[in-house]
Amino acid sequence: MGHYETLQELLLKRAIVYPNSEPHGPVAGFYDYGSVGSEIKRRLEGEWRSFFLSLGDNFHEIDSCLIMPQSVFKASGHLEHFKDPAAVCGKCGTKRKADELMEEALGEKFEGLSAQELDELIKKHKLVCPKCKSKFKGIEPFTLMFPLEAGAAENKAAVYLRPETAQGPFTAFKREFRANRERLPLGLAIIGKAFRNEISPRQLTIRTREFTQAELQIFFDPKAAPEVDYKSIKKKKVLFALPGKKEKSMAIDEVKKATKMPEFMLYYLAKDWEWMEYLGLGKCLRLAQLSEEEKAFYNKYHLDLEIKMPSFDKWVEVAGFHYRTDHDLKGHQKVSGQKMLVPGKDYNPHVLELSFGVDRLVFALLDTSLKEGKEGWYFALPPRLAPFDAGVYPLVNKESLPEKARAILQTLRGDGIKVFFDGGGSIGRRYARADEIGVPFGITIDFDSLKDKSVTVRDRDTQKQDRVKISDLSGYLWKRKSV
Ligand SMILES: [Zn+2]
């Protein structure tokens, strides 16, 4: 069984991720996080929140609606532009994302090509429908937004499920700016759901129709760039791919020379990199700068953060770094008629967007940490992102060992350590079960524990066992789980 199949099996078996509404026959592109998966996701979101909100004094988190009025998306350009070219089968009507068909057939990227270019390429390379093997009849634009109606028939409003969290901060800008004493830079973050009616959702939670984003919009005065400690990051090495080039290791200062990006943006780019390292993903990460054809038309700089995923053996985008200029506020100003200017000046703040796909990050963590050990497959998750800190196991279910174990469990919970109790089966089986969901430590209470007031702590990755005094246990675990 390949890496991807093993991963898929474990995700289902251990209730990490599974299809939504399973008993009814799931709709493609919708997944639930189970008891284990949702804890990993929550922890990741918590880490993101504390990392990115601490990057600026005037950075805040907001929580805005999933449903927004049509005019928002007129202002953002989504109504007009948020469409994918779909190749339509002439016989069975199957639709497939056209650039993806090309990519699968030829192994290179085809993003950003026009419908006509894609149509010609598909004909030239004689690509056929993956379902019925017939010819494609042509390319159609496919709208990626989910339309809805709010209210009763006579006064209903056209609304949409948001396709990105970003429009929340843009529409909240004016009020937040005033409430935060009209200071720039102003950072507004959202962690929340977004919805896209993908033509071909696939690869588990890599491309879904309902997904979670963690995005930070940094509003700044383009004529007075925010002050940052550039010196502290200029020597930082990153793996960088210039448009159309192969990636190579570069210091941030070299990236500056090659891309002409301003220092304050490079600072946040380096922070993106540091955050990925913090997750333990630094070793399989690259920054890829998009070419003029590939990037969104309103982005002045557009980079992807990509992870080499073992399941697909290729680079997969997990985050984006976008300098959106004044595109957003200008658009909202125009459509709404409300001014959104830098105080005392006649231009709009610009926006730097740090955008992360939470589901893709969770997937990347699981995919890159899946290992085969002596006892079977397990997730070598960083302790701070594991679903539990430790399992608590009485060696046997007799004498007073279970009671002692439960008392330790309660003490640890009181000290803010996330633990579970498992008294079933051989101790080896219990270790293996915990390893399978990435629990970093196992605490065993044996007969000696009653005498020496100590327990055995087993490390998931090295399988080394430490003897630790019960009175020191919380401190020991806090120290070891914070890495
Ligand atoms: Zn077909």
Side-chain angles (χ1 to χ4, degrees):
M1 211 162 47
H3 189 94
Y4 181 62
E5 290 73 27
T6 307
L7 176 69
Q8 199 169 14
E9 193 186 86
L10 263 185
L11 293 184
L12 292 172
K13 178 183 159 202
R14 296 311 308 271
I16 300 172
V17 171
Y18 39 79
N20 169 263
S21 303
E22 266 185 306
H24 295 271
V27 175
F30 294 93
Y31 283 91
D32 289 348
Y33 286 84
S35 46
V36 169
S38 59
E39 186 59 26
I40 297 172
K41 190 177 169 191
R42 260 198 302 279
R43 282 196 160 184
L44 183 114
E45 289 170 355
E47 296 286 350
W48 188 90
R49 186 174 279 123
S50 48
F51 186 94
F52 284 95
L53 291 182
S54 67
L55 290 181
D57 290 336
N58 194 25
F59 284 15
H60 317 276
E61 183 178 5
I62 64 170
D63 181 5
S64 71
C65 286
L66 307 186
I67 294 176
M68 299 175 100
Q70 188 174 48
S71 59
V72 167
F73 302 110
K74 196 175 160 203
S76 68
H78 282 94
L79 268 189
E80 195 184 342
H81 298 292
F82 200 49
K83 294 166 184 164
D84 269 348
V88 187
C89 171
K91 195 174 171 201
C92 76
T94 289
K95 287 181 182 174
R96 279 296 309 273
K97 224 171 155 254
D99 58 336
E100 219 169 69
L101 269 178
M102 291 301 302
E103 192 182 328
E104 280 172 9
L106 303 179
E108 22 172 326
K109 291 206 172 179
F110 289 89
E111 265 173 74
L113 295 190
S114 71
Q116 200 190 335
E117 287 167 320
L118 284 163
D119 196 31
E120 281 165 11
L121 279 170
I122 285 172
K123 291 205 174 95
K124 185 178 154 202
H125 292 278
K126 299 193 171 63
L127 300 191
V128 293
C129 170
K131 212 167 175 182
C132 73
K133 311 289 172 213
S134 306
K135 273 193 207 154
F136 287 104
K137 67 175 177 192
I139 305 281
E140 273 177 18
F142 185 83
T143 300
L144 296 173
M145 277 204 296
F146 285 103
L148 295 168
E149 285 174 348
E154 64 276 14
N155 54 3
K156 69 186 172 198
V159 294
Y160 290 86
L161 282 171
R162 66 182 183 196
E164 58 180 16
T165 65
Q167 299 309 319
F170 300 146
T171 53
F173 171 75
K174 213 176 163 179
R175 188 168 291 283
E176 288 290 339
F177 184 55
R178 222 180 288 146
N180 288 290
R181 306 204 321 278
E182 304 201 343
R183 286 174 296 157
L184 292 176
L186 166 68
L188 294 177
I190 292 187
I191 299 177
K193 293 277 186 147
F195 304 83
R196 293 180 189 177
N197 193 13
E198 294 287 352
I199 307 167
S200 27
R202 59 202 188 128
Q203 295 167 328
L204 288 161
T205 50
I206 290 293
R207 186 178 306 127
T208 54
R209 290 172 167 151
E210 174 174 340
F211 54 98
T212 304
Q213 290 185 311
E215 294 191 306
L216 171 65
Q217 313 294 330
I218 303 170
F219 300 87
F220 64 96
D221 181 342
K223 303 218 166 126
E227 273 177 38
V228 291
D229 185 3
Y230 179 71
K231 264 199 189 131
S232 67
I233 53 96
K234 67 182 235 182
K235 288 191 179 140
K236 183 155 194 68
K237 291 270 187 183
V238 296
L239 194 62
F240 197 93
L242 287 160
K245 298 265 169 62
K246 199 173 157 43
E247 67 277 358
K248 59 174 185 176
S249 175
M250 287 166 88
I252 291 286
D253 225 20
E254 295 172 67
V255 174
K256 181 181 163 186
K257 283 192 197 94
T259 63
K260 312 274 187 294
M261 262 162 69
E263 289 186 358
F264 103 89
M265 287 190 198
L266 291 160
Y267 176 81
Y268 286 105
L269 189 64
K271 291 296 153 186
D272 267 6
W273 187 276
E274 277 174 23
W275 152 252
M276 299 294 280
E277 283 180 330
Y278 182 80
L279 296 184
L281 295 171
K283 286 194 189 78
C284 41
L285 174 66
R286 78 169 182 187
L287 292 167
Q289 189 181 12
L290 274 62
S291 67
E292 287 301 312
E293 296 77 50
E294 290 167 324
K295 70 184 178 61
F297 70 93
Y298 49 82
N299 282 333
K300 185 155 176 214
Y301 296 109
H302 186 151
L303 289 90
D304 286 344
L305 282 80
E306 299 178 331
I307 297 285
K308 188 78 170 255
M309 303 257 193
S311 270
F312 312 118
D313 193 30
K314 65 172 193 177
W315 295 101
V316 178
E317 176 193 349
V318 294
F321 180 93
H322 313 131
Y323 173 25
R324 302 174 68 123
T325 69
D326 57 0
H327 168 77
D328 307 285
L329 291 188
K330 235 184 188 164
H332 287 293
Q333 183 171 285
K334 195 173 155 206
V335 174
S336 71
Q338 303 240 342
K339 289 241 178 292
M340 302 177 191
L341 302 172
V342 176
K345 296 173 188 168
D346 59 355
Y347 50 86
N348 300 101
H350 282 209
V351 173
L352 177 65
E353 174 183 72
L354 313 183
S355 169
F356 292 84
V358 173
D359 309 279
R360 288 190 177 193
L361 283 179
V362 172
F363 189 94
L365 274 174
L366 292 165
D367 196 27
T368 57
S369 70
L370 181 64
K371 304 249 164 9
E372 190 171 17
K374 269 186 241 141
E375 329 256 331
W377 289 88
Y378 71 102
F379 291 109
L381 288 169
R384 62 164 78 94
L385 296 164
F388 293 92
D389 300 316
V392 176
Y393 318 118
L395 184 64
V396 289
N397 281 309
K398 55 184 178 188
E399 315 255 332
S400 57
L401 293 190
E403 291 74 22
K404 187 73 193 160
R406 291 215 179 262
I408 290 172
L409 184 87
Q410 286 311 325
T411 308
L412 292 175
R413 279 192 181 143
D415 290 337
I417 290 166
K418 195 163 186 238
V419 281
F420 65 91
F421 183 89
D422 187 357
S426 76
I427 195 75
R429 278 299 305 142
R430 282 181 271 171
Y431 287 155
R433 277 203 294 266
D435 289 351
E436 254 183 10
I437 56 168
V439 181
F441 306 108
I443 299 162
T444 307
I445 292 87
D446 52 30
F447 291 111
D448 287 340
S449 302
L450 302 174
K451 286 174 245 151
D452 68 1
K453 302 201 166 21
S454 299
V455 293
T456 297
V457 181
R458 172 189 175 269
D459 180 295
R460 175 199 63 202
D461 300 334
T462 63
Q463 289 170 29
K464 258 185 66 190
Q465 308 212 351
D466 275 354
R467 196 75 184 164
V468 181
K469 284 251 173 262
I470 294 169
S471 56
D472 298 337
L473 191 56
S474 292
Y476 172 94
L477 289 169
W478 263 108
K479 201 170 148 208
R480 294 208 52 198
K481 84 191 187 77
S482 306
V483 294

